[in-house]
Amino acid sequence: MTMQKILEDIQKKAYFAKHDKVLVAVSAGVDSMNLLLFLQAHQEDLAIEIGLAHVNHKQRQQSDLEETYLRDWAEDHGLPFYLAHFTGNFSEKSARDFRYNFFKKVMEKEGYTTLVTAHHADDQTETIFMRILRGSRLRHLAGIKAVQEFGPGQIIRPFLNIRKEELPEVFHFEDASNQSDAYLRNRIRHHYLPELAKENPKISTAIRELGTEVQTLFAALADLTANLDGTDLQVFHKQSPAVQVYLLQDYLEAYPDLSLSRAQFDSLLESIRKAKSGDSYLKSGYYLHIDNERFWLNKISPQTDSPVPTQVLEYGNIVSIGQRSFEFGQTGSLSLTSLDPILLRSRKAGDAIDFGTFHKKVRRLFIDQKIPAQERAQAIIAEQNGQIIFVLAGEHLYLRKAPQCVTIKAKLCIKTRKNGDL
């Protein structure tokens, strides 16, 4: 595929239609240098402005040379350059986590709405194969998505349908670690896939097509169950066992740090099927809560890395977070249909609020409403019976659409020390 065809494909799919400030993750390898040169050359065609983000992992002698080269390149082309030096105990996972946390911080601070990475078709093949080897669930064999939610916006991978051999040869730095069989991905690339190709020369294509089919299948399941409230026990119990498994798996996607084993998942599923009211500890600080109507998970344990302390607000009580106080009783402007405790917390991945005719992810809500990064970081989420009842970001308050024909049982009053009622 030529660079012109790649440009036409990106324009057809409108990857950057909602983005004008684009952060490019650059390692100085051949893949990311191709991406950088491509986007720099087509900024006007795509109506974008780009900035470079680079992490020096300090693991190789040439790491500093790569940093210097990219810094000079950015300066020569009048582009912003953002740099971080890796700290901590090095591993593939810790390095990846460090990189993406850094990219997210740059996006939030500098106003970028998308991160672009140079993942290509060969990366997709290796990722899916790696997940098969590790016994990942079927939904995760969908592989890498071309577009997905990330930080204050999205990650876009415009090269995902391009094989590495199709990329032009450009100036780049070679990473000697790519030849080491100490890493599983390298063993897959150098040994496992070439050996399987002797049986099926199109094995790489077949693996990618498997990922595409899995992605299509789960998109269809999401569409078919879109109107089901999977945490409503009455709704949940009406479904077939297979649909129940899907609904619970889908719900757990909002809690990536929970990471249940298959045995733990089966135990959780059985608890929900029995629907015995009460609370039970799962793992990693998470609890399962079941009442007469629904089930939900939350993490009550202290979250030291969160800017908002997690607090439980009981009926008749007042709690304070920062400059705000929350009074749960019979006075206030927010009407509530339950006297159950309210969990006040920071936002987390997968949070979504019900606006009646549709649900919207909190992340997308902040993007659409142009909420500043600092206010997003300090946003307060109120959760009752596993449902988000409001989102408070700065002076912006977003309320859940309550069901019609319900009895108002309580009120919530939110005050600030300076301005009184919100």
Side-chain angles (χ1 to χ4, degrees):
M1 184 180 292
T2 66
M3 290 293 111
Q4 181 58 37
K5 288 184 177 180
I6 294 172
L7 174 63
E8 292 171 0
D9 185 60
I10 291 173
Q11 292 173 323
K12 180 180 179 180
K13 294 175 179 176
Y15 281 151
F16 299 106
K18 297 181 180 180
H19 305 287
D20 50 20
K21 288 195 69 175
V22 173
L23 186 65
V24 188
V26 186
S27 69
V30 64
D31 308 338
S32 64
M33 288 305 300
N34 262 287
L35 177 66
L36 174 61
L37 294 174
F38 174 84
L39 291 177
Q40 191 272 334
H42 293 292
Q43 287 185 95
E44 185 173 338
D45 297 318
L46 298 172
I48 59 174
E49 296 178 3
I50 67 172
L52 284 68
H54 175 70
V55 174
N56 183 339
H57 294 93
K58 295 288 186 177
Q59 298 298 306
R60 296 173 290 112
Q61 290 185 346
Q62 67 182 28
S63 294
D64 291 340
L65 292 176
E66 294 168 352
E67 174 188 325
T68 300
Y69 174 81
L70 290 174
R71 186 194 300 278
D72 291 344
W73 192 96
E75 184 177 346
D76 290 344
H77 290 82
L79 299 175
F81 179 71
Y82 308 99
L83 172 72
H85 291 157
F86 175 81
T87 57
N89 296 321
F90 184 85
S91 69
E92 286 186 278
K93 183 180 185 306
S94 63
R96 184 186 186 282
D97 290 345
F98 183 92
R99 285 196 303 274
Y100 282 91
N101 285 334
F102 167 63
F103 297 150
K104 187 183 300 183
K105 289 177 183 176
V106 173
M107 291 174 68
E108 291 173 343
K109 181 179 179 181
E110 303 296 336
Y112 290 93
T113 58
T114 188
L115 171 72
V116 187
T117 68
H119 291 92
H120 47 69
D122 294 347
D123 292 322
Q124 181 75 294
T125 301
E126 293 160 9
T127 296
I128 296 172
F129 191 79
M130 185 183 301
R131 292 178 179 178
I132 292 173
L133 288 180
R134 290 175 171 169
S136 298
R137 288 192 178 277
L138 180 63
R139 66 170 53 240
H140 297 135
L141 300 189
I144 310 168
K145 294 181 180 179
V147 180
Q148 70 182 76
E149 301 284 321
F150 176 75
Q154 295 179 321
I155 291 181
I156 297 176
R157 302 177 176 98
F159 284 4
L160 203 54
N161 291 323
I162 306 167
R163 295 187 62 189
K164 186 167 185 173
E165 65 183 22
E166 297 179 282
L167 295 174
E169 184 63 30
V170 298
F171 177 81
H172 64 279
F173 289 83
E174 287 289 349
D175 184 348
S177 67
N178 288 334
Q179 305 304 317
S180 171
D181 285 344
Y183 302 103
L184 174 58
R185 185 177 290 273
N186 289 348
R187 296 196 297 275
I188 291 172
R189 181 181 305 155
H190 300 148
H191 304 293
Y192 303 159
L193 288 176
E195 193 65 27
L196 289 171
K198 295 177 182 179
E199 300 293 337
N200 178 4
K202 296 185 178 180
I203 185 64
S204 294
T205 300
I207 290 173
R208 291 195 297 274
E209 289 176 347
L210 169 65
T212 300
E213 287 195 22
V214 170
Q215 196 172 90
T216 301
L217 169 64
F218 278 89
L221 289 172
D223 289 343
L224 292 171
T225 59
N227 295 323
L228 296 180
D229 181 354
T231 62
D232 184 313
L233 289 173
Q234 187 175 6
V235 172
F236 188 86
H237 290 147
K238 286 181 179 179
Q239 309 309 313
S240 69
V243 174
Q244 290 177 353
V245 169
Y246 170 79
L247 289 174
L248 182 55
Q249 283 188 2
D250 199 54
Y251 177 70
L252 292 176
E253 286 295 293
Y255 305 93
D257 59 328
L258 181 53
S259 187
L260 295 179
S261 67
R262 280 178 166 76
Q264 291 168 333
F265 176 87
D266 291 342
S267 177
L268 174 60
L269 179 62
E270 186 63 22
S271 296
I272 296 171
R273 283 172 172 167
K274 291 179 178 177
K276 184 178 180 181
S277 297
D279 303 333
S280 57
Y281 182 71
L282 295 176
K283 62 183 292 189
S284 304
Y286 281 96
Y287 287 81
L288 167 67
H289 305 274
I290 300 178
D291 63 16
N292 293 329
E293 297 180 353
R294 62 178 58 249
F295 73 88
W296 69 97
L297 302 181
N298 62 28
K299 192 173 186 178
I300 304 296
S301 60
Q303 299 181 17
T304 56
D305 59 341
S306 169
V308 177
T310 300
Q311 298 202 43
V312 177
L313 175 58
E314 302 277 354
Y315 178 76
N317 290 344
I318 301 174
V319 301
S320 296
I321 298 178
Q323 297 292 317
R324 292 187 173 87
S325 67
F326 301 82
E327 180 177 357
F328 187 12
Q330 290 299 319
T331 60
S333 58
L334 277 65
S335 299
L336 301 175
T337 61
S338 171
L339 299 179
D340 290 337
I342 298 171
L343 181 69
L344 299 171
R345 59 171 175 80
S346 61
R347 69 184 178 105
K348 60 189 177 185
D351 274 343
I353 186 168
D354 182 2
F355 285 129
T357 57
F358 65 97
H359 284 72
K360 175 169 280 195
K361 285 190 174 183
V362 173
R363 179 182 298 163
R364 175 49 57 184
L365 175 68
F366 287 169
I367 294 171
D368 292 346
Q369 298 298 315
K370 301 185 185 302
I371 302 299
Q374 183 62 28
E375 292 184 6
R376 298 182 194 188
Q378 298 291 335
I380 298 173
I381 306 295
E383 180 181 312
Q384 188 179 47
N385 295 328
Q387 300 291 311
I388 291 177
I389 57 175
F390 72 76
V391 176
L392 177 59
E395 300 303 313
H396 305 277
L397 182 64
Y398 304 96
L399 302 176
R400 176 192 179 208
K401 176 71 173 179
Q404 295 182 350
C405 302
V406 295
T407 302
I408 303 301
K409 296 182 178 180
K411 298 279 189 174
L412 185 68
C413 180
I414 307 176
K415 294 182 178 180
T416 63
R417 293 178 185 175
K418 294 181 180 180
N419 303 322
D421 286 353
L422 185 65

